[in-house]
Amino acid sequence: MDKVREFFKKTMFYAKVLSGYEERRIRSYRLQLQQRLQQAEARKAALNKVPEQIILSEVRKMVQDMQAMNKKLEETETAIEEYFKPIDKEAELIMKEQLKGEEKSMREMMAIMQRQALLEKAEAEAEALANSQNAKTDQHVEEPELSDKNVRKG
C-alpha cells in the first residue's frame, strides 16, 4: 500500500507540474517571501529612522527652547531699559549741567588768562617805554655835560 501511495503522490506531483499548478504555487510562495522581505526591510528602515526622528525632535525642542529664551531675554532687556530711562535722563541732565559749569569755568579762565596776557603786554610796553625814556634822559644828561665841557674848553 505504501508503494501505491508513493506512486500516487508522484503521479499527482507530475500532474501538478504538467498542469502548471505547482509552478503557480511556487511563484506565489516566492512572491509571499519577497513581500515579507520587503516588509521586514521597511520595518528595519523605520527602526533606523526612529533614532533620527528622536534626535530631530530633540533638536526642534532645543531650538524652540532657545527661541523662547531669546524672547524672554529681549523682554527682560526692554524692561530694564524702561526701568532705567528716567535715571538715564537724570544722569544726562546732570552731565549737561556739569559740562555747562566746566565751560563757564573754562571761559572765566580764558578771560583771566587774556587779562593776564594783556597786563603782561602792557607791563612790557611800559617797561620798554620807561627804558626808552631813561635812555633819552640819559642822553640829554650826557649831552649837556659834553656841551659844558666843550664850552669850557673853548
Side-chain angles (χ1 to χ4, degrees):
M1 197 64 161
D2 286 335
K3 285 188 178 185
V4 174
R5 213 180 273 159
E6 283 282 325
F7 178 74
F8 182 70
K9 280 184 180 179
K10 283 184 184 179
T11 310
M12 286 302 291
F13 177 74
Y14 289 129
K16 288 178 184 177
V17 169
L18 291 175
S19 68
Y21 174 78
E22 193 65 31
E23 188 177 336
R24 284 190 299 268
R25 199 179 102 203
I26 291 171
R27 280 186 192 158
S28 71
Y29 182 71
R30 197 180 95 226
L31 282 172
Q32 285 176 356
L33 285 177
Q34 193 173 15
Q35 287 175 351
R36 285 183 193 167
L37 184 63
Q38 287 175 351
Q39 288 173 353
E41 287 176 0
R43 276 185 259 141
K44 184 179 175 184
L47 287 175
N48 286 340
K49 287 185 178 181
V50 168
E52 291 175 10
Q53 291 173 346
I54 291 171
I55 291 170
L56 289 175
S57 66
E58 289 294 321
V59 169
R60 281 189 204 110
K61 183 179 176 186
M62 288 174 58
V63 168
Q64 289 172 349
D65 291 345
M66 289 171 67
Q67 288 174 343
M69 184 70 77
N70 283 340
K71 187 176 180 182
K72 286 181 183 178
L73 182 63
E74 288 174 3
E75 290 173 357
T76 304
E77 286 176 353
T78 55
I80 289 170
E81 287 176 7
E82 290 296 321
Y83 179 79
F84 283 113
K85 266 187 184 177
I87 296 170
D88 288 342
K89 286 181 182 177
E90 289 179 23
E92 187 175 337
L93 289 173
I94 291 170
M95 290 293 290
K96 284 182 181 177
E97 290 297 320
Q98 286 179 346
L99 286 173
K100 284 181 184 177
E102 288 177 9
E103 284 179 20
K104 185 178 178 183
S105 64
M106 283 179 59
R107 284 189 202 123
E108 289 174 0
M109 286 190 62
M110 289 295 290
I112 291 170
M113 288 174 62
Q114 286 176 351
R115 284 186 209 134
Q116 185 69 29
L118 286 174
L119 286 174
E120 287 177 5
K121 185 178 179 183
E123 283 179 14
E125 287 176 0
E127 204 174 294
L129 186 63
N131 285 341
S132 66
Q133 284 180 355
N134 283 341
K136 284 182 183 178
T137 55
D138 285 346
Q139 283 180 353
H140 287 298
V141 170
E142 286 179 15
E143 284 179 12
E145 288 176 8
L146 285 178
S147 60
D148 286 341
K149 287 182 184 177
N150 287 338
V151 170
R152 289 183 194 165
K153 285 184 181 177

